[in-house]
mmCIF file of all heavy atoms in Angstrom:
data_model
loop_
_atom_site.group_PDB
_atom_site.id
_atom_site.type_symbol
_atom_site.label_atom_id
_atom_site.label_comp_id
_atom_site.label_asym_id
_atom_site.label_seq_id
_atom_site.Cartn_x
_atom_site.Cartn_y
_atom_site.Cartn_z
ATOM 1 N N GLU A 561 -16.402 0.789 10.376
ATOM 2 C CA GLU A 561 -16.890 1.989 11.079
ATOM 3 C C GLU A 561 -17.819 2.772 10.160
ATOM 4 O O GLU A 561 -18.879 3.232 10.568
ATOM 5 C CB GLU A 561 -15.697 2.846 11.511
ATOM 6 C CG GLU A 561 -16.058 3.946 12.489
ATOM 7 C CD GLU A 561 -16.529 5.224 11.821
ATOM 8 O OE1 GLU A 561 -16.320 5.399 10.601
ATOM 9 O OE2 GLU A 561 -17.134 6.047 12.515
ATOM 10 N N ARG A 562 -17.409 2.908 8.889
ATOM 11 C CA ARG A 562 -18.213 3.654 7.929
ATOM 12 C C ARG A 562 -19.573 2.983 7.742
ATOM 13 O O ARG A 562 -20.619 3.638 7.753
ATOM 14 C CB ARG A 562 -17.460 3.729 6.596
ATOM 15 C CG ARG A 562 -18.216 4.327 5.456
ATOM 16 C CD ARG A 562 -18.127 5.821 5.439
ATOM 17 N NE ARG A 562 -16.755 6.280 5.347
ATOM 18 C CZ ARG A 562 -16.085 6.353 4.215
ATOM 19 N NH1 ARG A 562 -16.642 5.996 3.094
ATOM 20 N NH2 ARG A 562 -14.851 6.785 4.200
ATOM 21 N N HIS A 565 -21.621 3.596 10.791
ATOM 22 C CA HIS A 565 -21.999 4.998 10.907
ATOM 23 C C HIS A 565 -23.094 5.350 9.907
ATOM 24 O O HIS A 565 -24.115 5.931 10.262
ATOM 25 C CB HIS A 565 -20.762 5.868 10.680
ATOM 26 C CG HIS A 565 -21.047 7.336 10.701
ATOM 27 N ND1 HIS A 565 -21.454 8.030 9.590
ATOM 28 C CD2 HIS A 565 -21.011 8.229 11.712
ATOM 29 C CE1 HIS A 565 -21.646 9.292 9.913
ATOM 30 N NE2 HIS A 565 -21.382 9.448 11.201
ATOM 31 N N GLN A 569 -26.154 3.159 12.494
ATOM 32 C CA GLN A 569 -26.360 4.295 13.392
ATOM 33 C C GLN A 569 -27.424 5.237 12.846
ATOM 34 O O GLN A 569 -28.273 5.724 13.601
ATOM 35 C CB GLN A 569 -25.043 5.046 13.605
ATOM 36 C CG GLN A 569 -24.176 4.403 14.669
ATOM 37 C CD GLN A 569 -22.945 5.227 14.957
ATOM 38 O OE1 GLN A 569 -22.292 5.709 14.037
ATOM 39 N NE2 GLN A 569 -22.617 5.384 16.222
ATOM 40 N N ALA A 570 -27.372 5.485 11.543
ATOM 41 C CA ALA A 570 -28.373 6.370 10.948
ATOM 42 C C ALA A 570 -29.763 5.754 11.084
ATOM 43 O O ALA A 570 -30.744 6.449 11.400
ATOM 44 C CB ALA A 570 -28.032 6.627 9.484
ATOM 45 N N ALA A 573 -30.851 6.079 14.735
ATOM 46 C CA ALA A 573 -31.188 7.462 15.080
ATOM 47 C C ALA A 573 -32.566 7.813 14.509
ATOM 48 O O ALA A 573 -33.389 8.449 15.171
ATOM 49 C CB ALA A 573 -30.117 8.411 14.543
ATOM 50 N N THR A 574 -32.818 7.361 13.280
ATOM 51 C CA THR A 574 -34.116 7.612 12.662
ATOM 52 C C THR A 574 -35.222 6.911 13.437
ATOM 53 O O THR A 574 -36.306 7.464 13.667
ATOM 54 C CB THR A 574 -34.110 7.106 11.205
ATOM 55 O OG1 THR A 574 -32.912 7.532 10.584
ATOM 56 C CG2 THR A 574 -35.304 7.631 10.444
ATOM 57 N N ALA A 576 -35.168 6.137 16.607
ATOM 58 C CA ALA A 576 -35.395 6.877 17.853
ATOM 59 C C ALA A 576 -36.241 8.111 17.586
ATOM 60 O O ALA A 576 -37.141 8.449 18.360
ATOM 61 C CB ALA A 576 -34.051 7.265 18.465
ATOM 62 N N MET A 577 -35.947 8.760 16.449
ATOM 63 C CA MET A 577 -36.702 9.964 16.080
ATOM 64 C C MET A 577 -38.175 9.625 15.864
ATOM 65 O O MET A 577 -39.069 10.284 16.403
ATOM 66 C CB MET A 577 -36.085 10.560 14.820
ATOM 67 C CG MET A 577 -36.781 11.770 14.263
ATOM 68 S SD MET A 577 -35.682 12.637 13.126
ATOM 69 C CE MET A 577 -35.399 11.407 11.875
ATOM 70 N N GLY A 580 -39.825 8.729 19.130
ATOM 71 C CA GLY A 580 -39.985 9.933 19.951
ATOM 72 C C GLY A 580 -41.183 10.743 19.497
ATOM 73 O O GLY A 580 -41.996 11.208 20.309
ATOM 74 N N GLN A 581 -41.305 10.871 18.177
ATOM 75 C CA GLN A 581 -42.448 11.608 17.616
ATOM 76 C C GLN A 581 -43.758 10.917 17.980
ATOM 77 O O GLN A 581 -44.718 11.558 18.403
ATOM 78 C CB GLN A 581 -42.331 11.666 16.094
ATOM 79 C CG GLN A 581 -41.568 12.846 15.565
ATOM 80 C CD GLN A 581 -41.434 12.741 14.062
ATOM 81 O OE1 GLN A 581 -40.670 11.921 13.567
ATOM 82 N NE2 GLN A 581 -42.207 13.554 13.340
ATOM 83 N N GLU A 584 -44.744 11.389 21.582
ATOM 84 C CA GLU A 584 -45.295 12.712 21.888
ATOM 85 C C GLU A 584 -46.713 12.869 21.356
ATOM 86 O O GLU A 584 -47.519 13.601 21.927
ATOM 87 C CB GLU A 584 -44.370 13.809 21.346
ATOM 88 C CG GLU A 584 -43.041 13.843 22.096
ATOM 89 C CD GLU A 584 -42.217 15.085 21.807
ATOM 90 O OE1 GLU A 584 -42.633 15.879 20.942
ATOM 91 O OE2 GLU A 584 -41.155 15.242 22.447
ATOM 92 N N LYS A 585 -47.006 12.194 20.259
ATOM 93 C CA LYS A 585 -48.356 12.271 19.700
ATOM 94 C C LYS A 585 -49.379 11.589 20.603
ATOM 95 O O LYS A 585 -50.575 11.799 20.464
ATOM 96 C CB LYS A 585 -48.394 11.617 18.314
ATOM 97 C CG LYS A 585 -47.859 12.505 17.203
ATOM 98 C CD LYS A 585 -48.001 11.803 15.875
ATOM 99 C CE LYS A 585 -47.165 12.473 14.789
ATOM 100 N NZ LYS A 585 -47.614 13.848 14.510
ATOM 101 N N ARG A 589 -49.681 16.209 25.031
ATOM 102 C CA ARG A 589 -48.834 17.338 25.421
ATOM 103 C C ARG A 589 -49.473 18.641 24.975
ATOM 104 O O ARG A 589 -50.309 18.676 24.061
ATOM 105 C CB ARG A 589 -47.456 17.210 24.778
ATOM 106 C CG ARG A 589 -46.649 16.076 25.338
ATOM 107 C CD ARG A 589 -45.448 15.841 24.479
ATOM 108 N NE ARG A 589 -44.416 16.834 24.721
ATOM 109 C CZ ARG A 589 -43.255 16.554 25.319
ATOM 110 N NH1 ARG A 589 -43.018 15.312 25.717
ATOM 111 N NH2 ARG A 589 -42.361 17.482 25.508
ATOM 112 N N VAL A 592 -48.176 19.451 21.293
ATOM 113 C CA VAL A 592 -48.332 18.432 20.254
ATOM 114 C C VAL A 592 -49.750 17.868 20.316
ATOM 115 O O VAL A 592 -50.165 17.373 21.362
ATOM 116 C CB VAL A 592 -47.328 17.273 20.456
ATOM 117 C CG1 VAL A 592 -47.417 16.286 19.320
ATOM 118 C CG2 VAL A 592 -45.923 17.810 20.628
ATOM 119 N N ASP A 601 -48.695 5.433 12.291
ATOM 120 C CA ASP A 601 -47.940 5.542 11.046
ATOM 121 C C ASP A 601 -46.440 5.600 11.343
ATOM 122 O O ASP A 601 -45.623 4.924 10.699
ATOM 123 C CB ASP A 601 -48.412 6.801 10.306
ATOM 124 C CG ASP A 601 -47.759 6.912 8.948
ATOM 125 O OD1 ASP A 601 -47.497 5.838 8.348
ATOM 126 O OD2 ASP A 601 -47.487 8.041 8.501
ATOM 127 N N LEU A 602 -46.092 6.412 12.353
ATOM 128 C CA LEU A 602 -44.675 6.545 12.715
ATOM 129 C C LEU A 602 -44.122 5.234 13.268
ATOM 130 O O LEU A 602 -42.982 4.847 12.982
ATOM 131 C CB LEU A 602 -44.501 7.653 13.758
ATOM 132 C CG LEU A 602 -44.567 9.074 13.181
ATOM 133 C CD1 LEU A 602 -44.841 10.084 14.272
ATOM 134 C CD2 LEU A 602 -43.256 9.395 12.467
ATOM 135 N N HIS A 609 -37.854 0.389 9.777
ATOM 136 C CA HIS A 609 -36.445 0.747 9.953
ATOM 137 C C HIS A 609 -35.719 -0.257 10.832
ATOM 138 O O HIS A 609 -34.549 -0.563 10.608
ATOM 139 C CB HIS A 609 -36.323 2.141 10.570
ATOM 140 C CG HIS A 609 -36.610 3.245 9.603
ATOM 141 N ND1 HIS A 609 -36.077 3.285 8.353
ATOM 142 C CD2 HIS A 609 -37.394 4.343 9.700
ATOM 143 C CE1 HIS A 609 -36.500 4.356 7.715
ATOM 144 N NE2 HIS A 609 -37.326 5.013 8.512
ATOM 145 N N ALA B 51 -27.202 10.689 5.005
ATOM 146 C CA ALA B 51 -27.974 9.447 5.167
ATOM 147 C C ALA B 51 -29.451 9.735 4.838
ATOM 148 O O ALA B 51 -30.128 10.454 5.576
ATOM 149 C CB ALA B 51 -27.830 8.920 6.579
ATOM 150 N N VAL B 53 -32.255 8.115 4.864
ATOM 151 C CA VAL B 53 -33.353 7.734 5.745
ATOM 152 C C VAL B 53 -33.465 8.724 6.905
ATOM 153 O O VAL B 53 -34.565 9.147 7.280
ATOM 154 C CB VAL B 53 -33.196 6.267 6.226
ATOM 155 C CG1 VAL B 53 -31.770 5.913 6.469
ATOM 156 C CG2 VAL B 53 -33.996 5.987 7.453
ATOM 157 N N PHE B 54 -32.327 9.143 7.423
ATOM 158 C CA PHE B 54 -32.335 10.088 8.536
ATOM 159 C C PHE B 54 -32.799 11.464 8.069
ATOM 160 O O PHE B 54 -33.585 12.141 8.739
ATOM 161 C CB PHE B 54 -30.936 10.164 9.148
ATOM 162 C CG PHE B 54 -30.894 10.903 10.447
ATOM 163 C CD1 PHE B 54 -31.400 10.337 11.608
ATOM 164 C CD2 PHE B 54 -30.359 12.181 10.517
ATOM 165 C CE1 PHE B 54 -31.370 11.025 12.809
ATOM 166 C CE2 PHE B 54 -30.323 12.867 11.719
ATOM 167 C CZ PHE B 54 -30.830 12.286 12.864
ATOM 168 N N GLY B 57 -36.509 11.491 7.598
ATOM 169 C CA GLY B 57 -37.172 11.498 8.895
ATOM 170 C C GLY B 57 -37.169 12.887 9.511
ATOM 171 O O GLY B 57 -38.178 13.354 10.057
ATOM 172 N N LEU B 58 -36.016 13.557 9.376
ATOM 173 C CA LEU B 58 -35.864 14.898 9.937
ATOM 174 C C LEU B 58 -36.802 15.887 9.247
ATOM 175 O O LEU B 58 -37.441 16.728 9.899
ATOM 176 C CB LEU B 58 -34.403 15.320 9.741
ATOM 177 C CG LEU B 58 -33.721 16.157 10.803
ATOM 178 C CD1 LEU B 58 -33.938 15.577 12.187
ATOM 179 C CD2 LEU B 58 -32.236 16.253 10.485
ATOM 180 N N ARG B 60 -39.586 15.244 7.754
ATOM 181 C CA ARG B 60 -40.959 14.956 8.156
ATOM 182 C C ARG B 60 -41.250 15.523 9.540
ATOM 183 O O ARG B 60 -42.292 16.152 9.770
ATOM 184 C CB ARG B 60 -41.155 13.440 8.142
ATOM 185 C CG ARG B 60 -42.509 13.025 8.645
ATOM 186 C CD ARG B 60 -42.720 11.538 8.497
ATOM 187 N NE ARG B 60 -43.969 11.187 9.158
ATOM 188 C CZ ARG B 60 -44.462 9.970 9.188
ATOM 189 N NH1 ARG B 60 -43.817 8.987 8.598
ATOM 190 N NH2 ARG B 60 -45.592 9.723 9.801
ATOM 191 N N LEU B 61 -40.288 15.307 10.458
ATOM 192 C CA LEU B 61 -40.458 15.777 11.837
ATOM 193 C C LEU B 61 -40.637 17.295 11.881
ATOM 194 O O LEU B 61 -41.570 17.812 12.511
ATOM 195 C CB LEU B 61 -39.235 15.354 12.644
ATOM 196 C CG LEU B 61 -39.173 15.667 14.141
ATOM 197 C CD1 LEU B 61 -38.291 14.640 14.824
ATOM 198 C CD2 LEU B 61 -38.636 17.054 14.418
ATOM 199 N N GLU B 64 -43.846 18.580 10.300
ATOM 200 C CA GLU B 64 -44.985 18.290 11.154
ATOM 201 C C GLU B 64 -45.111 19.300 12.280
ATOM 202 O O GLU B 64 -46.213 19.625 12.723
ATOM 203 C CB GLU B 64 -44.821 16.878 11.748
ATOM 204 C CG GLU B 64 -46.058 16.035 11.613
ATOM 205 C CD GLU B 64 -45.783 14.604 12.006
ATOM 206 O OE1 GLU B 64 -45.300 14.379 13.129
ATOM 207 O OE2 GLU B 64 -46.034 13.709 11.160
ATOM 208 N N ARG B 65 -43.928 19.786 12.735
ATOM 209 C CA ARG B 65 -43.934 20.779 13.806
ATOM 210 C C ARG B 65 -44.117 22.190 13.265
ATOM 211 O O ARG B 65 -43.917 23.172 13.993
ATOM 212 C CB ARG B 65 -42.607 20.720 14.579
ATOM 213 C CG ARG B 65 -42.415 19.433 15.352
ATOM 214 C CD ARG B 65 -43.409 19.360 16.496
ATOM 215 N NE ARG B 65 -43.310 18.092 17.172
ATOM 216 C CZ ARG B 65 -42.998 17.982 18.466
ATOM 217 N NH1 ARG B 65 -42.759 19.044 19.187
ATOM 218 N NH2 ARG B 65 -42.959 16.792 19.013
ATOM 219 N N ARG B 96 -20.055 14.555 9.116
ATOM 220 C CA ARG B 96 -19.417 13.670 8.117
ATOM 221 C C ARG B 96 -20.282 13.547 6.899
ATOM 222 O O ARG B 96 -21.369 12.978 6.962
ATOM 223 C CB ARG B 96 -19.167 12.296 8.730
ATOM 224 C CG ARG B 96 -17.846 12.233 9.444
ATOM 225 C CD ARG B 96 -17.619 10.957 10.167
ATOM 226 N NE ARG B 96 -17.990 9.752 9.440
ATOM 227 C CZ ARG B 96 -17.515 8.563 9.774
ATOM 228 N NH1 ARG B 96 -16.655 8.445 10.744
ATOM 229 N NH2 ARG B 96 -17.906 7.499 9.131
ATOM 230 N N TYR B 101 -15.962 12.145 3.960
ATOM 231 C CA TYR B 101 -16.543 11.545 5.166
ATOM 232 C C TYR B 101 -15.690 11.804 6.395
ATOM 233 O O TYR B 101 -15.478 10.913 7.201
ATOM 234 C CB TYR B 101 -16.760 10.035 4.981
ATOM 235 C CG TYR B 101 -17.766 9.707 3.923
ATOM 236 C CD1 TYR B 101 -17.366 9.438 2.632
ATOM 237 C CD2 TYR B 101 -19.128 9.710 4.220
ATOM 238 C CE1 TYR B 101 -18.297 9.161 1.651
ATOM 239 C CE2 TYR B 101 -20.065 9.433 3.249
ATOM 240 C CZ TYR B 101 -19.637 9.156 1.959
ATOM 241 O OH TYR B 101 -20.556 8.890 0.994
ATOM 242 N N GLN B 126 -22.835 11.844 14.955
ATOM 243 C CA GLN B 126 -22.914 10.611 15.733
ATOM 244 C C GLN B 126 -21.915 10.630 16.875
ATOM 245 O O GLN B 126 -21.988 9.829 17.788
ATOM 246 C CB GLN B 126 -22.586 9.390 14.864
ATOM 247 C CG GLN B 126 -23.367 9.294 13.582
ATOM 248 C CD GLN B 126 -24.657 8.543 13.756
ATOM 249 O OE1 GLN B 126 -25.168 8.428 14.854
ATOM 250 N NE2 GLN B 126 -25.211 8.044 12.666
ATOM 251 N N TYR B 127 -20.908 11.500 16.739
ATOM 252 C CA TYR B 127 -19.847 11.534 17.746
ATOM 253 C C TYR B 127 -19.680 12.934 18.259
ATOM 254 O O TYR B 127 -20.012 13.890 17.580
ATOM 255 C CB TYR B 127 -18.502 11.113 17.136
ATOM 256 C CG TYR B 127 -18.545 9.836 16.413
ATOM 257 C CD1 TYR B 127 -18.724 9.809 15.040
ATOM 258 C CD2 TYR B 127 -18.413 8.645 17.103
ATOM 259 C CE1 TYR B 127 -18.776 8.618 14.364
ATOM 260 C CE2 TYR B 127 -18.462 7.443 16.432
ATOM 261 C CZ TYR B 127 -18.642 7.443 15.053
ATOM 262 O OH TYR B 127 -18.690 6.265 14.397
ATOM 263 N N LYS B 149 -26.729 13.052 17.402
ATOM 264 C CA LYS B 149 -27.942 12.698 16.674
ATOM 265 C C LYS B 149 -28.955 12.001 17.580
ATOM 266 O O LYS B 149 -30.159 12.065 17.334
ATOM 267 C CB LYS B 149 -27.605 11.808 15.479
ATOM 268 C CG LYS B 149 -27.020 12.595 14.323
ATOM 269 C CD LYS B 149 -26.802 11.741 13.099
ATOM 270 C CE LYS B 149 -26.242 12.595 11.970
ATOM 271 N NZ LYS B 149 -25.802 11.784 10.837
ATOM 272 N N VAL B 152 -32.310 13.601 18.942
ATOM 273 C CA VAL B 152 -33.541 13.774 18.181
ATOM 274 C C VAL B 152 -34.642 12.864 18.729
ATOM 275 O O VAL B 152 -35.822 13.053 18.468
ATOM 276 C CB VAL B 152 -33.269 13.518 16.683
ATOM 277 C CG1 VAL B 152 -33.216 12.053 16.386
ATOM 278 C CG2 VAL B 152 -34.280 14.227 15.824
ATOM 279 N N ALA B 153 -34.254 11.879 19.547
ATOM 280 C CA ALA B 153 -35.255 10.990 20.132
ATOM 281 C C ALA B 153 -36.194 11.760 21.054
ATOM 282 O O ALA B 153 -37.381 11.442 21.139
ATOM 283 C CB ALA B 153 -34.562 9.863 20.903
ATOM 284 N N ASP B 154 -35.645 12.764 21.744
ATOM 285 C CA ASP B 154 -36.514 13.623 22.548
ATOM 286 C C ASP B 154 -36.909 14.797 21.669
ATOM 287 O O ASP B 154 -36.261 15.849 21.655
ATOM 288 C CB ASP B 154 -35.774 14.085 23.804
ATOM 289 C CG ASP B 154 -35.434 12.899 24.688
ATOM 290 O OD1 ASP B 154 -36.331 12.062 24.912
ATOM 291 O OD2 ASP B 154 -34.264 12.779 25.105
ATOM 292 N N VAL B 155 -37.981 14.551 20.917
ATOM 293 C CA VAL B 155 -38.302 15.417 19.792
ATOM 294 C C VAL B 155 -38.472 16.873 20.215
ATOM 295 O O VAL B 155 -37.895 17.783 19.612
ATOM 296 C CB VAL B 155 -39.566 14.906 19.071
ATOM 297 C CG1 VAL B 155 -39.887 15.779 17.883
ATOM 298 C CG2 VAL B 155 -39.365 13.469 18.641
ATOM 299 N N SER B 156 -39.248 17.088 21.288
ATOM 300 C CA SER B 156 -39.523 18.464 21.678
ATOM 301 C C SER B 156 -38.253 19.185 22.110
ATOM 302 O O SER B 156 -38.036 20.342 21.750
ATOM 303 C CB SER B 156 -40.555 18.494 22.807
ATOM 304 O OG SER B 156 -41.803 18.106 22.284
#
Side-chain angles (χ1 to χ4, degrees):
Chain A
E561 192 274 345
R562 173 85 59 82
H565 177 274
Q569 277 185 316
T574 314
M577 177 163 61
Q581 271 176 287
E584 292 192 355
K585 280 183 195 296
R589 291 168 77 110
V592 185
D601 185 33
L602 283 161
H609 285 313
Chain B
V53 37
F54 191 73
L58 216 49
R60 176 175 173 178
L61 182 153
E64 228 171 55
R65 293 292 175 120
R96 273 174 44 161
Y101 295 95
Q126 308 271 22
Y127 308 96
K149 283 185 179 170
V152 79
D154 296 313
V155 181
S156 290

